[in-house]
Amino acid sequence: MKKNVASQSIGAQMITAADGTAFTGTVTVYITGDGGTQAIGGTASGVCTSEGNGYHSYVPTQAETNYDLIAFTFIGTAAIPATLQVFTSFP
């Protein structure tokens, strides 16, 4: 992911905790930059786009990419949480 650049995308495969199937409910993303405080995503109040078959994507704001290390935590009620850590680079 490029540092301090808007219009990028990140996603996670979400799994239903009860039976292991693809999770199709609402997923919200929380962002932690450089080990700071976790905050809900700024785009669409953190609500992700369901791309189908359990895959959900999120487009971070430019400010949310202005870190060296970003942790994106995807949460859904009745889903197993997924966290992806991303090191940024300069464009």
Short mmCIF file of all heavy atoms in Angstrom, two decimals, residues 1-67:
data_model
loop_
_atom_site.label_atom_id
_atom_site.label_comp_id
_atom_site.label_asym_id
_atom_site.label_seq_id
_atom_site.Cartn_x
_atom_site.Cartn_y
_atom_site.Cartn_z
N MET A 1 0.86 -1.17 0.00
CA MET A 1 0.00 0.00 0.00
C MET A 1 0.90 1.23 0.00
O MET A 1 1.91 1.27 0.69
CB MET A 1 -0.90 -0.02 1.23
CG MET A 1 -1.85 1.13 1.30
SD MET A 1 -3.16 0.93 2.54
CE MET A 1 -4.28 -0.10 1.64
N LYS A 2 0.48 2.23 -0.76
CA LYS A 2 1.24 3.46 -0.85
C LYS A 2 0.89 4.38 0.33
O LYS A 2 -0.27 4.48 0.72
CB LYS A 2 0.97 4.18 -2.16
CG LYS A 2 1.46 3.40 -3.36
CD LYS A 2 1.13 4.10 -4.64
CE LYS A 2 1.60 3.26 -5.82
NZ LYS A 2 1.16 3.83 -7.09
N LYS A 3 1.91 5.02 0.87
CA LYS A 3 1.72 5.90 2.02
C LYS A 3 1.09 7.22 1.60
O LYS A 3 1.51 7.83 0.61
CB LYS A 3 3.06 6.16 2.71
CG LYS A 3 2.93 6.95 4.00
CD LYS A 3 4.25 7.02 4.73
CE LYS A 3 4.07 7.70 6.08
NZ LYS A 3 5.27 7.61 6.89
N ASN A 4 0.07 7.64 2.34
CA ASN A 4 -0.59 8.94 2.18
C ASN A 4 -1.21 9.12 0.79
O ASN A 4 -1.15 10.20 0.21
CB ASN A 4 0.39 10.07 2.50
CG ASN A 4 -0.33 11.35 2.88
OD1 ASN A 4 -1.45 11.33 3.38
ND2 ASN A 4 0.32 12.47 2.63
N VAL A 5 -1.82 8.05 0.27
CA VAL A 5 -2.46 8.07 -1.05
C VAL A 5 -3.89 7.55 -0.91
O VAL A 5 -4.12 6.48 -0.35
CB VAL A 5 -1.68 7.21 -2.06
CG1 VAL A 5 -2.42 7.13 -3.39
CG2 VAL A 5 -0.28 7.76 -2.26
N ALA A 6 -4.85 8.31 -1.45
CA ALA A 6 -6.26 7.91 -1.40
C ALA A 6 -6.58 6.91 -2.51
O ALA A 6 -5.76 6.62 -3.36
CB ALA A 6 -7.13 9.15 -1.55
N SER A 7 -7.80 6.38 -2.47
CA SER A 7 -8.36 5.52 -3.52
C SER A 7 -7.64 4.18 -3.68
O SER A 7 -7.55 3.64 -4.78
CB SER A 7 -8.42 6.25 -4.86
OG SER A 7 -9.22 7.40 -4.75
N GLN A 8 -7.13 3.63 -2.59
CA GLN A 8 -6.57 2.29 -2.60
C GLN A 8 -7.62 1.35 -2.00
O GLN A 8 -8.66 1.80 -1.51
CB GLN A 8 -5.29 2.25 -1.78
CG GLN A 8 -4.23 3.20 -2.32
CD GLN A 8 -2.96 3.16 -1.51
OE1 GLN A 8 -2.16 2.25 -1.65
NE2 GLN A 8 -2.78 4.16 -0.67
N SER A 9 -7.37 0.07 -2.02
CA SER A 9 -8.34 -0.87 -1.50
C SER A 9 -7.65 -1.98 -0.72
O SER A 9 -6.52 -2.36 -1.04
CB SER A 9 -9.14 -1.48 -2.66
OG SER A 9 -10.11 -2.37 -2.19
N ILE A 10 -8.35 -2.47 0.29
CA ILE A 10 -7.88 -3.62 1.06
C ILE A 10 -9.09 -4.46 1.40
O ILE A 10 -10.20 -3.93 1.50
CB ILE A 10 -7.11 -3.19 2.34
CG1 ILE A 10 -6.44 -4.39 2.97
CG2 ILE A 10 -8.02 -2.43 3.30
CD1 ILE A 10 -5.32 -4.05 3.92
N GLY A 11 -8.91 -5.75 1.55
CA GLY A 11 -10.05 -6.60 1.83
C GLY A 11 -9.67 -7.81 2.66
O GLY A 11 -8.49 -8.11 2.86
N ALA A 12 -10.72 -8.48 3.14
CA ALA A 12 -10.52 -9.68 3.96
C ALA A 12 -11.63 -10.68 3.69
O ALA A 12 -12.77 -10.31 3.42
CB ALA A 12 -10.51 -9.31 5.44
N GLN A 13 -11.27 -11.94 3.77
CA GLN A 13 -12.24 -13.02 3.67
C GLN A 13 -12.82 -13.23 5.06
O GLN A 13 -12.08 -13.48 6.01
CB GLN A 13 -11.56 -14.31 3.19
CG GLN A 13 -12.49 -15.49 3.07
CD GLN A 13 -13.49 -15.33 1.94
OE1 GLN A 13 -13.19 -14.71 0.93
NE2 GLN A 13 -14.67 -15.87 2.13
N MET A 14 -14.13 -13.10 5.19
CA MET A 14 -14.79 -13.23 6.48
C MET A 14 -15.52 -14.57 6.56
O MET A 14 -16.16 -15.00 5.60
CB MET A 14 -15.78 -12.08 6.70
CG MET A 14 -15.13 -10.70 6.66
SD MET A 14 -13.91 -10.44 7.97
CE MET A 14 -14.97 -10.37 9.40
N ILE A 15 -15.43 -15.20 7.73
CA ILE A 15 -15.99 -16.54 7.95
C ILE A 15 -16.99 -16.49 9.08
O ILE A 15 -16.72 -15.89 10.13
CB ILE A 15 -14.85 -17.54 8.27
CG1 ILE A 15 -13.88 -17.59 7.09
CG2 ILE A 15 -15.40 -18.91 8.60
CD1 ILE A 15 -12.59 -18.33 7.39
N THR A 16 -18.12 -17.15 8.90
CA THR A 16 -19.13 -17.25 9.94
C THR A 16 -18.60 -18.13 11.05
O THR A 16 -18.15 -19.26 10.82
CB THR A 16 -20.45 -17.84 9.37
OG1 THR A 16 -20.87 -17.03 8.28
CG2 THR A 16 -21.53 -17.89 10.43
N ALA A 17 -18.64 -17.63 12.29
CA ALA A 17 -18.06 -18.35 13.43
C ALA A 17 -18.79 -19.66 13.72
O ALA A 17 -18.17 -20.65 14.10
CB ALA A 17 -18.07 -17.45 14.67
N ALA A 18 -20.10 -19.70 13.54
CA ALA A 18 -20.89 -20.87 13.92
C ALA A 18 -20.63 -22.09 13.04
O ALA A 18 -20.59 -23.21 13.55
CB ALA A 18 -22.38 -20.52 13.89
N ASP A 19 -20.45 -21.87 11.73
CA ASP A 19 -20.37 -23.04 10.86
C ASP A 19 -19.26 -22.99 9.80
O ASP A 19 -19.13 -23.90 8.99
CB ASP A 19 -21.71 -23.27 10.16
CG ASP A 19 -22.17 -22.10 9.32
OD1 ASP A 19 -21.37 -21.17 9.09
OD2 ASP A 19 -23.34 -22.11 8.88
N GLY A 20 -18.46 -21.94 9.79
CA GLY A 20 -17.33 -21.86 8.87
C GLY A 20 -17.67 -21.48 7.44
O GLY A 20 -16.81 -21.52 6.57
N THR A 21 -18.91 -21.09 7.19
CA THR A 21 -19.29 -20.68 5.84
C THR A 21 -18.87 -19.23 5.59
O THR A 21 -18.52 -18.50 6.51
CB THR A 21 -20.82 -20.81 5.64
OG1 THR A 21 -21.50 -19.98 6.59
CG2 THR A 21 -21.27 -22.25 5.80
N ALA A 22 -18.96 -18.83 4.33
CA ALA A 22 -18.64 -17.45 3.96
C ALA A 22 -19.61 -16.50 4.64
O ALA A 22 -20.82 -16.72 4.61
CB ALA A 22 -18.72 -17.29 2.45
N PHE A 23 -19.08 -15.47 5.28
CA PHE A 23 -19.90 -14.50 6.01
C PHE A 23 -20.43 -13.46 5.04
O PHE A 23 -19.65 -12.83 4.30
CB PHE A 23 -19.08 -13.84 7.12
CG PHE A 23 -19.87 -12.87 7.95
CD1 PHE A 23 -20.77 -13.32 8.89
CD2 PHE A 23 -19.70 -11.51 7.79
CE1 PHE A 23 -21.50 -12.43 9.67
CE2 PHE A 23 -20.42 -10.61 8.56
CZ PHE A 23 -21.32 -11.07 9.49
N THR A 24 -21.75 -13.25 5.06
CA THR A 24 -22.36 -12.31 4.12
C THR A 24 -23.04 -11.13 4.81
O THR A 24 -23.67 -10.32 4.15
CB THR A 24 -23.40 -13.03 3.24
OG1 THR A 24 -24.37 -13.65 4.08
CG2 THR A 24 -22.73 -14.10 2.37
N GLY A 25 -22.89 -11.01 6.12
CA GLY A 25 -23.49 -9.89 6.86
C GLY A 25 -22.66 -8.63 6.73
O GLY A 25 -21.69 -8.55 5.97
N THR A 26 -23.04 -7.63 7.51
CA THR A 26 -22.34 -6.34 7.50
C THR A 26 -20.98 -6.46 8.19
O THR A 26 -20.87 -7.03 9.27
CB THR A 26 -23.19 -5.27 8.20
OG1 THR A 26 -24.45 -5.17 7.52
CG2 THR A 26 -22.50 -3.92 8.19
N VAL A 27 -19.98 -5.90 7.55
CA VAL A 27 -18.62 -5.90 8.10
C VAL A 27 -18.16 -4.45 8.25
O VAL A 27 -18.36 -3.62 7.36
CB VAL A 27 -17.64 -6.67 7.18
CG1 VAL A 27 -16.21 -6.51 7.66
CG2 VAL A 27 -18.04 -8.13 7.11
N THR A 28 -17.57 -4.17 9.40
CA THR A 28 -17.03 -2.83 9.70
C THR A 28 -15.53 -2.97 9.93
O THR A 28 -15.06 -3.94 10.51
CB THR A 28 -17.70 -2.26 10.96
OG1 THR A 28 -19.11 -2.26 10.77
CG2 THR A 28 -17.24 -0.85 11.25
N VAL A 29 -14.77 -1.97 9.46
CA VAL A 29 -13.32 -2.00 9.62
C VAL A 29 -12.88 -0.98 10.66
O VAL A 29 -13.45 0.11 10.77
CB VAL A 29 -12.60 -1.77 8.28
CG1 VAL A 29 -12.76 -0.36 7.79
CG2 VAL A 29 -11.14 -2.15 8.36
N TYR A 30 -11.87 -1.37 11.44
CA TYR A 30 -11.23 -0.50 12.42
C TYR A 30 -9.77 -0.40 12.02
O TYR A 30 -9.16 -1.38 11.57
CB TYR A 30 -11.36 -1.06 13.83
CG TYR A 30 -12.77 -1.01 14.34
CD1 TYR A 30 -13.71 -1.97 13.98
CD2 TYR A 30 -13.19 0.03 15.17
CE1 TYR A 30 -15.02 -1.90 14.43
CE2 TYR A 30 -14.50 0.10 15.63
CZ TYR A 30 -15.40 -0.87 15.25
OH TYR A 30 -16.71 -0.79 15.70
N ILE A 31 -9.19 0.79 12.21
CA ILE A 31 -7.83 1.04 11.74
C ILE A 31 -6.94 1.47 12.90
O ILE A 31 -7.34 2.30 13.73
CB ILE A 31 -7.85 2.14 10.65
CG1 ILE A 31 -8.66 1.62 9.47
CG2 ILE A 31 -6.45 2.53 10.23
CD1 ILE A 31 -9.09 2.66 8.51
N THR A 32 -5.76 0.88 12.93
CA THR A 32 -4.74 1.25 13.92
C THR A 32 -3.49 1.64 13.15
O THR A 32 -2.95 0.84 12.40
CB THR A 32 -4.43 0.07 14.86
OG1 THR A 32 -5.63 -0.43 15.41
CG2 THR A 32 -3.49 0.50 15.97
N GLY A 33 -3.04 2.87 13.33
CA GLY A 33 -1.85 3.33 12.63
C GLY A 33 -0.67 3.46 13.56
O GLY A 33 -0.77 4.07 14.62
N ASP A 34 0.44 2.84 13.17
CA ASP A 34 1.70 2.90 13.94
C ASP A 34 1.52 2.58 15.42
O ASP A 34 2.11 3.23 16.29
CB ASP A 34 2.35 4.28 13.77
CG ASP A 34 2.85 4.51 12.35
OD1 ASP A 34 3.14 3.53 11.65
OD2 ASP A 34 2.96 5.69 11.95
N GLY A 35 0.70 1.60 15.72
CA GLY A 35 0.52 1.17 17.10
C GLY A 35 -0.28 2.13 17.96
O GLY A 35 -0.26 2.03 19.18
N GLY A 36 -0.99 3.04 17.33
CA GLY A 36 -1.79 4.02 18.08
C GLY A 36 -3.12 3.45 18.52
O GLY A 36 -3.28 2.25 18.70
N THR A 37 -4.08 4.32 18.68
CA THR A 37 -5.41 3.93 19.14
C THR A 37 -6.25 3.46 17.96
O THR A 37 -6.27 4.10 16.91
CB THR A 37 -6.11 5.14 19.81
OG1 THR A 37 -5.28 5.58 20.88
CG2 THR A 37 -7.47 4.77 20.33
N GLN A 38 -6.95 2.37 18.16
CA GLN A 38 -7.82 1.83 17.11
C GLN A 38 -9.04 2.73 16.94
O GLN A 38 -9.65 3.16 17.91
CB GLN A 38 -8.26 0.42 17.49
CG GLN A 38 -8.94 -0.32 16.36
CD GLN A 38 -9.24 -1.75 16.75
OE1 GLN A 38 -10.05 -1.98 17.64
NE2 GLN A 38 -8.61 -2.70 16.10
N ALA A 39 -9.39 3.02 15.68
CA ALA A 39 -10.54 3.88 15.38
C ALA A 39 -11.32 3.29 14.22
O ALA A 39 -10.76 2.62 13.35
CB ALA A 39 -10.07 5.28 15.02
N ILE A 40 -12.61 3.54 14.22
CA ILE A 40 -13.46 3.05 13.13
C ILE A 40 -13.07 3.75 11.83
O ILE A 40 -12.62 4.90 11.83
CB ILE A 40 -14.95 3.28 13.47
CG1 ILE A 40 -15.84 2.45 12.55
CG2 ILE A 40 -15.31 4.75 13.42
CD1 ILE A 40 -17.27 2.33 13.05
N GLY A 41 -13.19 3.03 10.72
CA GLY A 41 -12.82 3.58 9.43
C GLY A 41 -13.60 4.84 9.08
O GLY A 41 -14.76 4.99 9.45
N GLY A 42 -12.96 5.73 8.34
CA GLY A 42 -13.56 7.01 8.00
C GLY A 42 -14.41 7.00 6.75
O GLY A 42 -15.26 7.85 6.56
N THR A 43 -14.21 6.03 5.88
CA THR A 43 -15.01 5.93 4.66
C THR A 43 -16.30 5.17 4.98
O THR A 43 -16.25 4.05 5.48
CB THR A 43 -14.24 5.18 3.55
OG1 THR A 43 -13.00 5.84 3.32
CG2 THR A 43 -15.04 5.11 2.27
N ALA A 44 -17.45 5.78 4.71
CA ALA A 44 -18.77 5.15 4.93
C ALA A 44 -18.91 4.64 6.37
O ALA A 44 -19.47 3.57 6.60
CB ALA A 44 -19.01 4.03 3.93
N SER A 45 -18.37 5.40 7.31
CA SER A 45 -18.40 5.01 8.73
C SER A 45 -17.81 3.63 8.97
O SER A 45 -18.21 2.91 9.88
CB SER A 45 -19.83 5.07 9.27
OG SER A 45 -20.33 6.38 9.17
N GLY A 46 -16.85 3.25 8.14
CA GLY A 46 -16.15 1.98 8.32
C GLY A 46 -16.84 0.78 7.72
O GLY A 46 -16.33 -0.34 7.78
N VAL A 47 -18.03 0.96 7.14
CA VAL A 47 -18.76 -0.18 6.57
C VAL A 47 -18.11 -0.60 5.27
O VAL A 47 -17.86 0.22 4.38
CB VAL A 47 -20.25 0.16 6.35
CG1 VAL A 47 -20.98 -0.98 5.67
CG2 VAL A 47 -20.91 0.50 7.68
N CYS A 48 -17.83 -1.89 5.17
CA CYS A 48 -17.15 -2.45 4.00
C CYS A 48 -18.15 -2.83 2.91
O CYS A 48 -19.34 -2.98 3.16
CB CYS A 48 -16.35 -3.68 4.42
SG CYS A 48 -15.08 -3.33 5.63
N THR A 49 -17.62 -3.05 1.73
CA THR A 49 -18.41 -3.51 0.59
C THR A 49 -18.29 -5.02 0.48
O THR A 49 -17.18 -5.54 0.45
CB THR A 49 -17.91 -2.86 -0.73
OG1 THR A 49 -18.01 -1.45 -0.60
CG2 THR A 49 -18.71 -3.33 -1.92
N SER A 50 -19.42 -5.70 0.42
CA SER A 50 -19.40 -7.15 0.21
C SER A 50 -19.17 -7.42 -1.26
O SER A 50 -19.94 -6.98 -2.12
CB SER A 50 -20.73 -7.77 0.66
OG SER A 50 -20.72 -9.16 0.36
N GLU A 51 -18.10 -8.12 -1.56
CA GLU A 51 -17.75 -8.43 -2.95
C GLU A 51 -18.26 -9.82 -3.35
O GLU A 51 -18.10 -10.23 -4.49
CB GLU A 51 -16.23 -8.37 -3.13
CG GLU A 51 -15.60 -7.05 -2.73
CD GLU A 51 -15.96 -5.88 -3.62
OE1 GLU A 51 -16.67 -6.07 -4.63
OE2 GLU A 51 -15.52 -4.75 -3.31
N GLY A 52 -18.85 -10.54 -2.41
CA GLY A 52 -19.37 -11.88 -2.68
C GLY A 52 -18.52 -12.97 -2.07
O GLY A 52 -17.33 -12.80 -1.85
N ASN A 53 -19.16 -14.09 -1.76
CA ASN A 53 -18.49 -15.28 -1.22
C ASN A 53 -17.67 -14.99 0.03
O ASN A 53 -16.63 -15.60 0.27
CB ASN A 53 -17.62 -15.94 -2.28
CG ASN A 53 -18.45 -16.46 -3.43
OD1 ASN A 53 -19.48 -17.10 -3.22
ND2 ASN A 53 -18.02 -16.18 -4.65
N GLY A 54 -18.10 -14.03 0.85
CA GLY A 54 -17.44 -13.73 2.11
C GLY A 54 -16.33 -12.71 2.05
O GLY A 54 -15.78 -12.32 3.07
N TYR A 55 -15.98 -12.26 0.84
CA TYR A 55 -14.91 -11.27 0.70
C TYR A 55 -15.50 -9.86 0.84
O TYR A 55 -16.47 -9.52 0.17
CB TYR A 55 -14.20 -11.40 -0.64
CG TYR A 55 -13.06 -10.43 -0.81
CD1 TYR A 55 -11.88 -10.60 -0.11
CD2 TYR A 55 -13.17 -9.35 -1.67
CE1 TYR A 55 -10.82 -9.70 -0.26
CE2 TYR A 55 -12.13 -8.44 -1.83
CZ TYR A 55 -10.97 -8.63 -1.12
OH TYR A 55 -9.93 -7.74 -1.26
N HIS A 56 -14.89 -9.06 1.74
CA HIS A 56 -15.34 -7.69 1.97
C HIS A 56 -14.16 -6.75 1.77
O HIS A 56 -13.05 -7.03 2.21
CB HIS A 56 -15.88 -7.55 3.40
CG HIS A 56 -17.13 -8.30 3.63
ND1 HIS A 56 -17.17 -9.66 3.79
CD2 HIS A 56 -18.42 -7.88 3.69
CE1 HIS A 56 -18.42 -10.04 3.96
NE2 HIS A 56 -19.20 -8.98 3.90
N SER A 57 -14.41 -5.62 1.10
CA SER A 57 -13.33 -4.68 0.81
C SER A 57 -13.62 -3.31 1.42
O SER A 57 -14.77 -2.97 1.71
CB SER A 57 -13.12 -4.53 -0.70
OG SER A 57 -14.25 -3.94 -1.31
N TYR A 58 -12.55 -2.55 1.59
CA TYR A 58 -12.63 -1.22 2.19
C TYR A 58 -11.66 -0.31 1.46
O TYR A 58 -10.54 -0.71 1.10
CB TYR A 58 -12.27 -1.29 3.68
CG TYR A 58 -12.24 0.06 4.35
CD1 TYR A 58 -13.42 0.73 4.66
CD2 TYR A 58 -11.04 0.68 4.67
CE1 TYR A 58 -13.40 1.98 5.27
CE2 TYR A 58 -11.01 1.92 5.28
CZ TYR A 58 -12.20 2.57 5.57
OH TYR A 58 -12.18 3.81 6.17
N VAL A 59 -12.08 0.96 1.25
CA VAL A 59 -11.22 1.97 0.62
C VAL A 59 -10.86 3.00 1.68
O VAL A 59 -11.68 3.83 2.05
CB VAL A 59 -11.95 2.64 -0.57
CG1 VAL A 59 -11.07 3.73 -1.18
CG2 VAL A 59 -12.33 1.61 -1.61
N PRO A 60 -9.63 2.94 2.21
CA PRO A 60 -9.23 3.89 3.26
C PRO A 60 -9.08 5.31 2.72
O PRO A 60 -8.79 5.51 1.54
CB PRO A 60 -7.89 3.35 3.74
CG PRO A 60 -7.38 2.49 2.65
CD PRO A 60 -8.57 2.00 1.89
N THR A 61 -9.28 6.28 3.61
CA THR A 61 -9.05 7.67 3.25
C THR A 61 -7.54 7.89 3.12
O THR A 61 -6.73 7.07 3.57
CB THR A 61 -9.60 8.62 4.32
OG1 THR A 61 -8.85 8.42 5.53
CG2 THR A 61 -11.09 8.39 4.57
N GLN A 62 -7.18 9.03 2.54
CA GLN A 62 -5.76 9.36 2.42
C GLN A 62 -5.09 9.41 3.79
O GLN A 62 -4.00 8.87 3.98
CB GLN A 62 -5.59 10.68 1.70
CG GLN A 62 -4.14 11.08 1.52
CD GLN A 62 -3.97 12.37 0.72
OE1 GLN A 62 -4.90 12.83 0.09
NE2 GLN A 62 -2.79 12.93 0.74
N ALA A 63 -5.75 10.02 4.76
CA ALA A 63 -5.18 10.14 6.11
C ALA A 63 -4.97 8.76 6.76
O ALA A 63 -4.03 8.57 7.52
CB ALA A 63 -6.08 11.00 6.99
N GLU A 64 -5.85 7.81 6.45
CA GLU A 64 -5.73 6.47 7.04
C GLU A 64 -4.56 5.69 6.46
O GLU A 64 -4.17 4.66 7.02
CB GLU A 64 -7.03 5.69 6.83
CG GLU A 64 -8.16 6.23 7.67
CD GLU A 64 -9.52 5.66 7.31
OE1 GLU A 64 -9.70 5.14 6.19
OE2 GLU A 64 -10.42 5.74 8.16
N THR A 65 -3.98 6.17 5.36
CA THR A 65 -2.81 5.50 4.79
C THR A 65 -1.51 6.21 5.15
O THR A 65 -0.45 5.81 4.71
CB THR A 65 -2.91 5.41 3.25
OG1 THR A 65 -2.87 6.72 2.69
CG2 THR A 65 -4.18 4.69 2.83
N ASN A 66 -1.59 7.26 5.97
CA ASN A 66 -0.41 8.06 6.30
C ASN A 66 0.30 7.52 7.55
O ASN A 66 0.52 8.25 8.52
CB ASN A 66 -0.80 9.54 6.47
CG ASN A 66 0.41 10.45 6.45
OD1 ASN A 66 1.46 10.07 5.97
ND2 ASN A 66 0.26 11.64 6.99
N TYR A 67 0.63 6.25 7.52
CA TYR A 67 1.36 5.58 8.60
C TYR A 67 2.39 4.65 7.98
O TYR A 67 2.29 4.29 6.80
CB TYR A 67 0.41 4.73 9.46
CG TYR A 67 -0.67 5.53 10.16
CD1 TYR A 67 -1.96 5.57 9.66
CD2 TYR A 67 -0.38 6.25 11.32
CE1 TYR A 67 -2.96 6.29 10.30
CE2 TYR A 67 -1.37 6.98 11.96
CZ TYR A 67 -2.65 6.99 11.45
OH TYR A 67 -3.63 7.72 12.09
#
